[in-house]
Structure formats: structure tokens, C-alpha cells
Amino acid sequence: MPGKALFLDRDGIINVDTGYVSKPQQVTFVAGIFEVIARFVAAGYTPVIVTNQSGIGRGMYTETDFHQLSEWMQSQFTRQGLPAIPVYYCPHHPTEAIAGYLQSCACRKPEPGMILQATRDHGLALDESLLIGDSWRDIQAADAAGVSRKVFVSTQAKPAQTISGVLQVGSVSAILDADTLAGLL
Ligand SMILES: [Mg+2]
Ligand SMILES: [Zn+2]
């Protein structure tokens, strides 16, 4: 039976987005994120990270650096009692990237490629799934993939573009508000 997914952007949702984070010592976890993931896991969701990493394409850090950071993050998740979380990433950029990464790909959000690949790999039901992101590109990618519900974490007004199924909250920890959480799980 297809499972429901909790799709998570990384930078700005898992870790504070200080720009091109590539090493453990640059990571500050976003307040409340471990508990948010735990609540969804307890409700039967499979967490999946989907992250644009054009820093790889731009030559700022390597795929090896990225994988090492991802492994370190997994160790932090498991220390918190969470499962290992699959990570899907796009290393490309359409205009500013070194050879091999310079391309208009189907994986860089707002394209839905990473979400669709995760759906195939893990047998997920998009119409029962949810995405949490802090960029409108995350919301657009989820919408294009068919993820029915999206949480847009932003202290700024939502762009004028209308996408159905979007809940706007001011912070990740605001998702833990009892009524908010009850409406999402
Ligand atoms: Mg982000
Ligand atoms: Zn890509």
C-alpha cells in the first residue's frame, strides 16, 4: 500500500539557511524540526528530504562533501530517535555551473523531479503527502508533482500566485501548535 510522505526542504527547514551550508560545523538545526518530523513519523509518514544544491554545480563544495554532511545529519536524526531520512538533491544550475552540472534539469525545484523520483523509489501516495518548504519554489515543485498539501514557512506575505492546499506559518515550530498539527497529520 502506498505510504504518505513528509517532503522536507533542507536549507531553512532542517538547518538554518546561512547560505551554501556544506560542513557540520556550519549547521544549526531549525528550532522544532526534530519534533515536527517525529510527530509525522508517529502518524505514519515517511520523511524525505528534497534539496536544491547548486553549490555543487557552482564548484563551492563537492558531491563528496554533500554526502558526508548528509551522513552526519543522519547521525543527528537517529540520535533524536528518528529514522534515517532519504535525501534527494539537485547539484545542477541552468546558467551558473561548472562542466557537467550546467544544465536545465528536471530535478531542480520548482521542477518536480526529485519528488517524483522519491515517489517511485518509496511507493508514496502524493495525494496523501505533505511538503514543508521555505521557498516558493518548494511549493511550486510540490504542486507540480501533485503533493496535495504544502506548508510554506515564511514571515513574509505569500506571493500573489495562487496554489491550492498551502498553509502559511511563520516558523517551523509554529507547526507544533496543537490545532495546526491536528489539521495537518
Ligand atoms: Mg530552503
Ligand atoms: Zn538537477
Side-chain angles (χ1 to χ4, degrees):
M1 203 180 87
K4 44 194 181 180
L6 172 67
F7 292 107
L8 298 154
D9 175 44
R10 198 196 79 179
D11 299 308
I13 298 297
I14 305 278
N15 55 276
V16 175
D17 188 359
T18 51
Y20 301 104
V21 168
S22 62
K23 300 181 181 73
Q25 55 266 38
Q26 297 169 329
V27 171
T28 301
F29 286 102
V30 170
I33 187 57
F34 294 130
E35 191 178 348
V36 167
I37 297 171
R39 296 298 297 267
F40 279 90
V41 168
Y45 287 77
T46 299
V48 178
I49 294 172
V50 287
T51 178
N52 284 357
Q53 292 294 325
S54 71
I56 297 169
R58 294 171 198 265
M60 300 173 71
Y61 48 92
T62 66
E63 296 208 39
T64 301
D65 296 331
F66 176 78
H67 291 304
Q68 285 174 351
L69 178 59
S70 296
E71 278 175 33
W72 177 82
M73 281 192 176
Q74 298 296 353
S75 70
Q76 304 302 303
F77 295 142
T78 51
R79 265 178 61 176
Q80 300 287 332
L82 298 172
I85 301 179
V87 179
Y88 290 80
Y89 68 100
C90 166
H92 310 116
H93 193 276
T95 58
E96 291 167 48
I98 54 180
Y101 294 112
L102 183 67
Q103 53 178 283
S104 294
C105 60
C107 41
R108 181 174 164 81
K109 294 175 285 185
E111 297 299 322
M114 292 188 285
I115 294 172
L116 296 175
Q117 185 64 47
T119 300
R120 288 190 288 271
D121 292 348
H122 299 278
L124 303 169
L126 291 170
D127 58 351
E128 294 176 37
S129 297
L130 180 133
L131 171 136
I132 304 175
D134 71 331
S135 160
W136 197 245
R137 283 188 301 214
D138 302 324
I139 306 302
Q140 290 173 302
D143 194 62
V147 176
S148 56
R149 294 168 297 143
K150 306 96 180 165
V151 178
F152 182 43
V153 179
S154 174
T155 53
Q156 293 170 1
K158 195 159 34 183
Q161 183 180 0
T162 302
I163 288 180
S164 65
V166 180
L167 172 72
Q168 185 171 340
V169 295
S171 66
V172 165
S173 54
I175 296 167
L176 295 168
D177 168 79
D179 289 341
T180 303
L181 196 59
L184 291 172
L185 288 174

